[in-house]
Amino acid sequence: MRSQLVHGPGFTSRWDFSHHVVPPLSSSTTYRLDSVKRGARGFSEFGEPISDLGEAPVYIYDRLDEPTRSLLESELASLEGGDDCAAFSSGMGAISAALGSFLCTGDHLIAHPLLYGCTHSLFTNWYPRLGIGVSRVDCNDRAAVREAVKPETRGIYIETPVNPTLELIDIEALRELADEINKDRPEERKLLIVVDNTFATPYGQRPLLLGADMVCHSLTKNLGGFGTEIGGAVICRDEEFRSLLMFRKDFGASLASKSAWAIQVYGLPTLAVRLERQQKSAKKVAKWLEEQDVVSRIHYPGLESFPQKELAKKQMRNPDGYFMPGSMIYFHLDEKKAPPIRFVNYLAKNAYCITLAVSLGHVKTLIEMPGAMTHSAYGPDDPTTQDLGIRLSLGLEEPDDIIEELQAAFEAVSR
Ligand SMILES: Cc1ncc(COP(=O)(O)O)c(C=O)c1O
């Protein structure tokens, strides 16, 4: 996979690869059609899976399909082990399209209680208006999930690792359960498992190979990597793809070709190197944090103390099969010894390497307080927003410099 990330496909009908070393960036909203027949063919063939070995597709209009984005899509599909991919203008665009492509009014979805704040908001603020029921159920509790399944249930939605706590959900166990339920269902009512794989990326975990039906990504994070592009992607099988693409055509959140190009040219070729390096730092920083008296709890899948260590080792693997605990850390301070808000504020004002900012999977180390920021959609009365946990996304800086700044902040705010 590491070489594939650098070079992409050796040949694809989406582009002429004999002359370019770097894929060209197309920037044309519309495409010249040499006859009405060709135009009609473009529309009638739209939504069919594109074969990289076949004839070039008939491009019509950017929102439908276009060569630069298409190249990124074929690459992401291959990295995740799926048949197809559709790229969106944001991660939320991808999540709402993945689910929107198969859920109808009257349908029901099961979702893990803790999710990224805007995904929670989608389920609590918008799905009721659309007449889609959502039950929030601990997706590691098989009996509870089985009990929550109704005839109208069409999907199970999870993040693993969960943002921000890094709790893991066992995808293989969910697959077994879905297969049991699907035995008695017709094809069009089968339960689909949708996994947000943003935290791990396909380099660190491939949910489709573990039994998921659809995978979502915020490309804004590690896949883009440099914090310059916002985007999303859904990877799935041919069976789910047509509806997904039609949803994107009509709801309209297609990824801009310029963003697709940057992710393809800068993000993917550096993904493995960045992730391995960020992870090395995360291991060192997590170990150091664990030893600090002011740190009351720490969640990092690479620590021996991580409660789901076995599941982490089973699920989070790089393409060579090595354990990939990732580059995200979530920790709590003993509030009597070091007030967490003062600690984060101190870093915001004084740190050089650590930036207070939302987002993650960036070349720069980012810190935030999810309860107050990214997860505030849970509302003031929810334990999620009352939680004063701190999320750290490791970048490419020297880990000793990060530790030095954390140490300085602990010393400055400790009572
Ligand atoms: C796990 C996860 N999924 C989805 C999203 C949404 O992605 P975007 O901001 O690109 O819409 C985020 C954003 O932080 C996220 O953390």
Side-chain angles (χ1 to χ4, degrees), residues 15-20:
W15 268 116
D16 163 11
F17 258 91
S18 351
H19 304 100
H20 297 91

Side-chain angles (χ1 to χ4, degrees), residues 100-115:
S101 70
F102 69 88
L103 290 175
C104 300
T105 298
D107 282 348
H108 173 250
L109 180 74
I110 292 173
H112 193 65
L114 191 55
L115 298 166

Side-chain angles (χ1 to χ4, degrees), residues 62 139 151 199 234 381 410:
D62 182 322
C139 286
F199 268 36
V234 181
D381 301 329
F410 285 147

Side-chain angles (χ1 to χ4, degrees), residues 90-92 95 116 159 163 196 198 218 220-221 230-231 360:
S90 70
M92 286 316 301
I95 292 164
Y116 169 56
E159 293 167 0
N163 182 0
D196 181 336
T198 298
S218 167
T220 319
K221 311 296 169 2
I230 191 149
L360 55 107

Side-chain angles (χ1 to χ4, degrees), residues 36-230:
V36 171
K37 192 172 165 201
R38 183 172 167 83
R41 196 184 124 204
F43 277 96
S44 69
E45 288 177 1
F46 177 68
E48 301 294 328
I50 301 169
S51 156
D52 275 337
L53 302 175
E55 220 186 310
V58 179
Y59 293 116
I60 304 167
Y61 187 61
D62 182 322
R63 175 161 42 75
L64 276 63
D65 193 9
E66 79 86 45
T68 305
R69 186 174 62 231
S70 178
L71 199 58
L72 174 68
E73 288 168 343
S74 71
E75 190 60 6
L76 290 172
S78 156
L79 296 172
E80 279 286 3
D83 295 333
D84 307 282
C85 167
F88 293 83
S89 55
S90 70
M92 286 316 301
I95 292 164
S96 47
L99 295 168
S101 70
F102 69 88
L103 290 175
C104 300
T105 298
D107 282 348
H108 173 250
L109 180 74
I110 292 173
H112 193 65
L114 191 55
L115 298 166
Y116 169 56
C118 293
T119 311
H120 171 77
S121 173
L122 177 71
F123 296 161
T124 50
N125 292 320
W126 298 99
Y127 275 22
R129 294 193 196 194
L130 302 176
I132 298 168
V134 184
S135 299
R136 306 298 282 273
V137 182
D138 177 355
C139 286
N140 278 321
D141 183 341
R142 269 174 81 138
V145 175
R146 188 183 288 108
E147 203 170 302
V149 173
K150 319 182 205 186
E152 309 89 72
T153 310
R154 282 300 321 279
I156 302 177
Y157 183 89
I158 58 163
E159 293 167 0
T160 181
V162 170
N163 182 0
T165 58
L166 304 170
E167 182 196 355
L168 307 182
I169 314 287
D170 189 335
I171 301 171
E172 283 178 333
L174 276 185
R175 178 75 265 156
E176 260 179 43
L177 183 61
D179 284 345
E180 247 174 62
I181 294 158
N182 285 340
K183 264 200 328 261
D184 306 320
R185 290 186 169 210
E187 202 55 45
E188 68 284 3
R189 297 298 305 167
K190 286 211 188 315
L191 208 57
L192 297 178
I193 300 170
V194 183
V195 177
D196 181 336
N197 196 27
T198 298
F199 268 36
T201 84
Y203 186 78
Q205 173 177 274
R206 287 155 304 284
L208 293 176
L209 307 185
L210 295 165
D213 295 291
M214 297 176 109
V215 166
C216 301
H217 279 287
S218 167
L219 300 175
T220 319
K221 311 296 169 2
N222 260 318
L223 284 164
F226 293 86
T228 59
E229 313 305 320
I230 191 149

